[in-house]
Amino acid sequence: MTIGTIILAAGESSRLGQPKQLLEKNGQPLVRHMAQLAHDLNAGPVVVVVGANAEPIREAIHDIQVRVVPNPDWKTGMASSLKVGVETLEKTFPEAILVLLTDQPYVSRALIEQLIETATSTHKGIIASEYGDTLGVPVLFRPEFFEALKSLEGDTGARKLVQKHPDDVAGVPFEQGTIDLDTPEDVAKWQSATE
């Protein structure tokens, strides 16, 4: 199954006060961890969408074979980055698009492989990670959802599509998906847990 991957790395991290994409996990920036993980899957092209802090993010992944695509409208919210990513990947005709964020530090290769396996074993159009009461990212979308992804607006992410089409979603458990890095408290808690 050919998978195109979008890594959303354009946000400003305003609540955190520093670029979350550049927070370090095991001595490497989170954006690098995600880019390397996606590249190593060897499932298809990988696009990293950048906006705020584009240069240091580009530098952090300069030696990984991924395509860095700027989103000039990054300030309008996540939806514009999804659109840029989908439009870039559509030209490669993937069988699905995987959406990754950089602030979920516990995303692993095993989780992504499970999403892909579920996609090949079901006929569902969306394969989402399941944590708490949420179905969300990381998430795989089949081509019938590409247009809907491109038509999202503002700070609406992929989760909105997942919620809108519950009958076409298969879930993959990801207990640590509840941990994201939006505030200094989130980061401190995560860093103390990984030391």
Side-chain angles (χ1 to χ4, degrees):
M1 188 176 206
T2 307
I3 311 286
T5 301
I6 301 170
I7 300 173
L8 298 174
E12 192 173 23
S13 311
S14 55
R15 283 186 288 172
L16 185 59
Q18 62 177 309
K20 61 177 88 173
Q21 304 92 325
L22 299 174
L23 291 171
E24 295 204 344
K25 175 183 180 175
N26 301 328
Q28 67 176 357
L30 287 175
V31 68
R32 183 176 178 83
H33 168 72
M34 286 299 183
Q36 192 70 59
L37 188 154
H39 172 268
D40 290 351
L41 283 171
N42 205 26
V46 180
V47 170
V48 180
V49 183
V50 297
N53 308 297
E55 281 315 305
I57 290 168
R58 194 183 293 267
E59 180 59 31
I61 57 175
H62 74 278
D63 58 339
I64 302 173
Q65 289 205 325
V66 297
R67 183 165 175 196
V68 179
V69 181
N71 173 13
D73 299 320
W74 65 268
K75 287 184 181 178
T76 65
M78 195 182 295
S80 61
S81 291
L82 278 167
K83 183 176 182 180
V84 166
V86 173
E87 286 176 343
T88 304
L89 288 172
E90 269 183 323
K91 298 169 190 163
T92 68
F93 304 104
E95 294 170 78
I97 286 179
L98 170 67
V99 179
L100 296 174
L101 304 177
T102 57
D103 69 344
Q104 290 180 303
Y106 293 106
V107 169
S108 65
R109 181 178 179 135
L111 171 67
I112 304 306
E113 287 175 343
Q114 203 173 354
L115 289 168
I116 295 169
E117 282 171 26
T118 304
T120 57
S121 66
T122 73
H123 296 291
K124 301 289 188 183
I126 302 171
I127 313 300
S129 300
E130 196 169 357
Y131 36 93
D133 296 330
T134 302
L135 284 162
V137 286
V139 59
L140 265 175
F141 291 95
R142 291 192 186 273
E144 58 264 35
F145 286 100
F146 293 177
E147 285 303 315
L149 277 168
K150 291 191 301 184
S151 67
L152 292 171
E153 294 181 350
D155 212 23
T156 304
R159 189 182 301 167
K160 180 164 186 181
L161 275 185
V162 176
Q163 292 167 340
K164 194 174 176 182
H165 300 278
D167 295 338
D168 207 9
V169 178
V172 170
F174 176 37
E175 287 178 26
Q176 292 174 304
T178 56
I179 299 163
D180 61 11
L181 307 175
D182 287 330
T183 66
E185 293 75 24
D186 295 338
V187 173
K189 190 174 175 184
W190 165 63
Q191 287 175 332
S192 67
T194 57
E195 286 173 358

